[in-house]
Amino acid sequence: MNEEALRLATKGWKKWGPYVSNRQWGTVREDYSADGDAWKYTTHSLSRSIAWRWGEEGIAGISDDRQTLCFAPGFWNGKDHILKEVFFGLTNEEGNHGEDVKELFYNLDASPTHSYLKMLYKYPQEAFPYQQLLDENAHRGKHDPEYELIDTGIFKNNKYFDIFIEYAKQSEEDILIKITAHNRAATPASLNILPTLWFRNRWAWGYHNDPRSITQSGAHELTIKQDTLGEYFLYTKTPLNWLFTNNETNTIRLYNYDDGKKYYKDAINEYVVNQNQAAVNPALTGTKTAAYCTFDIAAGESACLELRLCKGKNTSPFQDFDQIFKTRIQETDEFYESLQKNIPDAEDRTIQRQALAGLLWNKQFYDYNVDKWLKGDPAQPAPPPGHTTSRNLNWKHLNNADIISMPDKWEFPWYASWDLGFHCVSLAIVDVEFAKQQLLMLTKEWYMHPNGQFPAYEWNFDDTNPPVQAWAAWDVYKMEQRNTGTGDLVFIESMFQKLLINFTWWVNRKDEHGSNIFAGGFLGLDNIGVFDRNTKLPAGYSIQQADGTSWMAMYALNMMHISLELALHNQVYEDMATKFFEHFLYIAGAIMNIMSPDDNGLWDDDDEFFYDELAVAGSHPIKLKLRSMVGLIPLFAVTVIKDETLKKLPAFAARMQWFLEHRPELAALVSRWTEKGTDDKHLLSLLRGHRMKRILSRMLNEAEFLSDYGIRSLSKSYELTPYIFPTPEQEYVVKYIPGESDSSMFGGNSNWRGPVWMPVNYLIIQSLMRFHDYYSDDFTVEYPTGSGQLLSLKEIASKLTARLIGIFKPDATGKRACFGSNEQFQTDPLFKDYLLFNEYFNGDTGKGLGASHQTGWTALIANLIQK
């Protein structure tokens, strides 16, 4: 076992990590406005002066796991009007496609214990084009592309710094820091680096008043004291000019009110940029400090700053500095070499390692107590009346203070329940214990609602995300079982108990008519519907959703599988397996239109596809015949049971046989139960062979869903002939749009009407492999549709995997689809091998779109490469 794998088994090595958010401003939890407009209440401009209530932000920042103490570097090129202490980006209203970070940074490497971390930030030498980015994006409309930092031309002639921020741990609380700035220009350039250390402000709210201080205690040394954290020291290799202040809100700048505190959070900026020497504390003590380091760097040369943050004294902090870094880098290499030993292609290994690095860098300390947030804090002015009824009123029990895997620490610096499920399946590749902890965390009483609902995300915890937690838990359990030979029964049983409550919530809340047809609203697919599926419809109208119903069929099968596994150790679970087996068949019967003569289900015999229905009281439902990912999700509800399992669980097998004999219409239509596949296997699926082939004929049609880069979210057939749904009030038009959204539905910052999305593509591939497990190579399908080429489902899954990997992999000309048409990204040696793992990808070109660092679920590319 390699050293990093040994560290994973040791408690404490993850006490320090990259837990500082990339953006705290503009979040719900920092919004105390009367109208709930989080984007306007705190802004990028205000952020440097506000002591945050619920968390901290910075560039490549690290903190302890309670975020008591934080470290992050700041920078100044001598030309900007502010220090570069946080990443700049546009709000939802400022961006023509919603919020968007306007910086270039890359999460290059990370070990799962954070014993080694590496990030790259590209900082322009000319004045950062803040106003230009605001103005040009304001001029652009929904049909125009976003205007990015690279588009301003500021990186032309290489007039920028490549700044590498690296961390290496000697032990759990001994962190070495290296900041290396490369001048990429042909002329000398000056750069100010400001390594910054500060305490999160926990004292201003009326709950904590523990003493804490940062003090210069020597020419090369700072002393940091705080009761719960203990005594730390920050060492520097050379004497530095430390500037001291306090992490306090600047009430003078923000509110034109002098609270008498004198030294504020933005004092470092005031001192460096505005030469206000009175802003900092001459006593060389405070709760925030930064060293003012100026480097004149020759053309093509670099400058390096080295620091060491550790608990307890170290009399020779730099004697072993270089060796520790060398060792940790070597150990990280060995960890990934072991992980990737069966991946022959070097480019695949690079893609996977950077994807996993991004996933690990996107951990964040997330603190949010809804009850306290609604009421306000005792030491602060009471929030305005509107705030107490602004949002999340039903979630006063929610009290989060954990390290959580975020989708993207700038665009989405908050967890989303279904995103987190996908994250865990990728996290399990490198740190299965953390993956399990994240899944269990969501089921705790201080997350999960007493009624059984999982919190969706902080903008509206009441929203409904697809119920993927059972799938994720089962996948993580099986991954560990395959890798170690033993599954974690305590984990999977704990998950099952809480998932049972959540499953019941779905049945009671989202099956409006008790018909086993489910709604759920937008279900994470934002603008995929004919109209906003979260809209409250007039009385007598409701939407019956093919995806909501299919997710629940998949949920039932996952719960059945977990029950069967647990029943091998405790026969009580055989009854639960029976319950979920039967529930799956009832859902399958409903979606496949056989439960009653008046129920047409969600399958359309004419089009041979699944559609949502608009149910109308006293009238026949109206099918919304829009071919989208909604109609492909039924593929996900598939599993295979072996005869071997049934022989071990005779009570389950007997009850199942009785049910199938007495409900033959369900057995015949849905399960193919009487037809064994290879190795005495039985198939449970929403789709028999014929219907599956009909859906696949559309999915694998290049004129519809099949893109060069995976499966599109909407049929391309609507590009020239949009889908139109007329109503007396207006016509609803849906057009295939391969790139960014042309509407503001759900904020307009994502698009499910054409692009390729990694999580659903992953589930499609996984489902094809499960079908193949039953049918074997004998079952073939035309791929692509109309080509005359017949392939097995396993071969098709492999082809789709290759297309998805092809988003990131250089083609025959050396260009990567994810970079689009930008020549500097494609050809510049200083850009072309640094990858971003976007939220989604253009359905025609593969260009990365949306959140640029959403390695969260896009990290599933690592799983595809691993397999």
Side-chain angles (χ1 to χ4, degrees), residues 818-831:
C818 58
F819 289 155
S821 59
N822 188 285
E823 278 301 308
Q824 191 162 13
F825 283 159
Q826 294 286 13
T827 60
D828 190 327
L830 298 174
F831 283 83

Side-chain angles (χ1 to χ4, degrees), residues 448-505:
M448 188 178 187
H449 197 282
N451 65 18
Q453 185 180 8
F454 288 132
Y457 41 78
E458 67 177 34
W459 288 90
N460 185 2
F461 285 128
D462 280 323
D463 262 354
T464 311
N465 280 180
V468 299
Q469 284 71 33
W471 164 80
W474 180 242
D475 242 38
V476 169
Y477 175 84
K478 294 300 288 183
M479 288 172 71
E480 184 176 27
Q481 191 178 57
R482 286 192 297 269
N483 291 335
T484 67
T486 306
D488 187 341
L489 287 170
V490 173
F491 159 71
I492 201 65
E493 186 170 14
S494 299
M495 286 297 300
F496 180 84
Q497 299 296 337
K498 292 297 186 69
L499 289 168
L500 188 60
I501 303 170
N502 179 251
F503 187 92
T504 304
W505 177 85

Side-chain angles (χ1 to χ4, degrees), residues 583-850:
H583 208 133
F584 165 75
L585 290 181
Y586 285 130
I587 296 171
I591 198 173
M592 299 297 254
N593 72 17
I594 63 165
M595 295 306 288
S596 75
D598 298 323
D599 185 357
N600 294 319
L602 303 180
W603 173 261
D604 185 81
D605 283 324
D606 295 330
D607 289 1
E608 296 184 304
F609 203 74
F610 286 102
Y611 297 117
D612 286 348
E613 281 188 345
L614 183 63
V616 185
S619 181
H620 288 292
I622 302 168
K623 278 193 168 59
L624 303 173
K625 294 191 174 186
L626 176 68
R627 292 192 301 281
S628 72
M629 183 60 66
V630 165
L632 301 181
I633 289 175
L635 287 167
F636 303 167
V638 55
T639 196
V640 174
I641 300 179
K642 297 179 180 179
D643 263 3
E644 176 187 350
T645 302
L646 298 178
K647 290 173 184 176
K648 292 177 181 178
L649 301 169
F652 170 72
R655 172 60 188 171
M656 186 174 58
Q657 190 61 37
W658 183 95
F659 186 87
L660 293 172
E661 288 174 359
H662 288 78
R663 297 302 301 268
E665 75 282 6
L666 290 176
L669 182 60
V670 180
S671 67
R672 296 181 64 96
W673 195 257
T674 58
E675 302 175 32
K676 292 180 183 177
T678 58
D679 302 323
D680 293 334
K681 297 171 182 175
H682 301 278
L683 177 71
L684 277 173
S685 165
L686 289 180
L687 300 167
R688 293 189 299 175
H690 171 73
R691 287 186 173 178
M692 182 179 66
K693 282 191 173 184
R694 297 313 305 146
I695 285 183
L696 291 182
S697 72
R698 290 194 184 277
M699 189 183 86
L700 303 176
N701 187 336
E702 293 175 311
E704 291 216 47
F705 288 97
L706 182 60
S707 157
D708 287 344
Y709 306 100
I711 302 300
R712 302 178 176 107
S713 49
L714 186 76
S715 171
K716 189 176 171 64
S717 64
Y718 300 117
E719 185 172 33
L720 300 178
T721 310
Y723 175 83
I724 299 174
F725 182 76
T727 71
E729 292 76 25
Q730 69 177 94
E731 276 191 344
Y732 292 89
V733 179
V734 179
K735 185 177 181 180
Y736 170 77
I737 301 167
E740 290 136 331
S741 175
D742 66 348
S743 79
S744 297
M745 190 184 295
F746 280 94
N749 62 339
S750 66
N751 181 25
W752 284 82
R753 293 182 174 180
V756 171
W757 290 77
M758 192 65 67
V760 286
N761 270 263
Y762 182 82
L763 288 173
I764 286 169
I765 289 168
Q766 190 178 72
S767 299
L768 291 176
M769 291 300 294
R770 287 179 179 163
F771 278 115
H772 176 268
D773 187 31
Y774 173 77
Y775 286 115
S776 77
D777 289 339
D778 296 335
F779 187 95
T780 58
V781 173
E782 193 176 32
Y783 175 90
T785 301
S787 67
Q789 176 181 243
L790 296 176
L791 298 180
S792 71
L793 298 179
K794 181 179 180 180
E795 290 172 318
I796 293 171
S798 179
K799 295 284 188 183
L800 292 178
T801 296
R803 292 187 184 220
L804 290 164
I805 295 172
I807 292 171
F808 307 99
K809 201 168 184 175
D811 63 16
T813 68
K815 294 187 175 182
R816 303 180 194 267
C818 58
F819 289 155
S821 59
N822 188 285
E823 278 301 308
Q824 191 162 13
F825 283 159
Q826 294 286 13
T827 60
D828 190 327
L830 298 174
F831 283 83
K832 67 185 183 69
D833 293 324
Y834 297 133
L835 300 177
L836 294 175
F837 296 87
N838 291 76
E839 183 182 4
Y840 57 96
F841 302 89
N842 187 292
D844 291 344
T845 68
K847 179 184 177 181
L849 301 168

Side-chain angles (χ1 to χ4, degrees), residues 290 295 513 528 588 664 691:
F295 296 93
H513 305 289
I528 202 167
R691 287 186 173 178

Side-chain angles (χ1 to χ4, degrees), residues 288-307:
K288 177 181 177 180
T289 185
Y292 187 9
C293 312
T294 301
F295 296 93
D296 296 314
I297 309 175
E301 298 299 321
S302 65
C304 185
L305 187 61
E306 297 176 347
L307 307 97

